[in-house]
Amino acid sequence: MIPLRHTLLLDFDGTLVELAERPDAVVIDRPLKALIGRLAGTFRGRFALVSGRSVAQLEGFLGETLEGVALIGSHGAEIHIGSSRVTPVRPPALIEAEHAIRAMFTNREGIVVEVKTLGVAVHYRLAPEAEPATRALVQSLAIDNGLAVQEGKMMIELRAAGHDKGSGIAALMRQPPFAGTVPVFAGDDVTDEAGFVAVAVLGGLGVLVGPERETSARHRLDDVSAVRAWLEQAA
């Protein structure tokens, strides 16, 4: 059970929902929606999703379920708390880079190009042999356009620089009702490591989801099912 003076921060893919072969194919079941609703009530506004997905994508998946839930999207660049909205403008350089990525991969079998508010992710889960070419293009575009590269599970993303999940969490924790509480953040990917560091600095703790590996998280849960069971106790 998480004490009521804590803030609950959860990654989405691989933490709340199982990873899918395509980013638009994740399954949002009714028990999950009900659980999110109960957690929003239990934590009284001190509950946030922290995702590499854009806020618009999260809202598309969860809709009204997100009432009372803060959102950190686009790897920390977007922060939505109640009626407060921070959403930077999409850089022109990212738009140009997106065109180059689409030109190379749109017709490549097994490659999924995911366009986000402040990023473009290339998923090669269905075509692992394409990893070298994918990585080379994204890294070249990052250098040429002053953008950041974000690694992930069987994907690589080109995104606006200057933000990560750690910076997003730090900004969130300065705002009411989060300020002065102890953050607990659960995530599964290397993209979540900055978040684990941020909550540790604030006196909180990170929870790694998945197999053991080198991490800044102090605790670990085996998988999405274990996360759900833990959250059911907290709710």
Side-chain angles (χ1 to χ4, degrees), residues 4 6 15 32 34 49 52 54 71 77 79 89 99 101 132 134 154-155 159 171 184 186 190 211 218 226:
L4 291 181
H6 283 59
T15 300
L32 175 59
L49 299 186
S54 67
L71 301 173
I79 302 176
V89 175
H99 293 161
I101 289 173
T134 302
M154 301 300 288
M155 60 80 74
R159 63 178 178 83
V184 178
V190 293
R218 293 170 50 193

Side-chain angles (χ1 to χ4, degrees), residues 127-138:
E129 71 281 358
E131 179 180 357
T134 302
R135 188 177 300 279
L137 176 63
V138 170

Side-chain angles (χ1 to χ4, degrees), residues 58-220:
L58 294 174
E59 291 175 336
F61 280 121
L62 293 165
E64 294 180 356
T65 306
L66 293 174
E67 183 176 355
V69 181
L71 301 173
I72 299 176
S74 299
H75 299 286
E78 297 181 279
I79 302 176
H80 289 197
I81 309 171
S83 61
S84 174
R85 300 286 189 270
V86 175
T87 302
V89 175
R90 200 163 199 255
L94 183 58
I95 297 173
E96 295 179 10
E98 176 194 332
H99 293 161
I101 289 173
R102 285 185 179 278
M104 182 168 181
F105 293 119
T106 294
N107 297 317
R108 178 74 177 268
E109 185 175 357
I111 297 293
V112 178
V113 177
E114 179 189 14
V115 178
K116 306 180 182 182
T117 303
L118 293 169
V120 184
V122 184
H123 298 259
Y124 48 85
R125 186 177 303 276
L126 299 175
E129 71 281 358
E131 179 180 357
T134 302
R135 188 177 300 279
L137 176 63
V138 170
Q139 290 178 342
S140 175
L141 290 170
I143 293 171
D144 293 344
N145 295 281
L147 299 169
V149 174
Q150 182 67 65
E151 303 278 354
K153 291 182 176 178
M154 301 300 288
M155 60 80 74
I156 188 167
E157 181 176 344
L158 192 66
R159 63 178 178 83
H163 302 276
D164 58 31
K165 290 187 178 182
S167 67
I169 288 173
L172 180 83
M173 294 301 297
R174 291 193 289 268
Q175 306 298 319
F178 303 93
T181 64
V182 179
V184 178
F185 173 49
D188 71 304
D189 208 343
V190 293
T191 61
D192 299 308
E193 287 298 325
F196 296 150
V197 172
V199 297
V201 169
L202 294 168
L205 57 91
V207 180
L208 173 66
V209 180
E212 291 186 7
R213 61 170 170 81
E214 185 175 347
T215 180
S216 295
R218 293 170 50 193
H219 301 272
R220 188 180 68 85

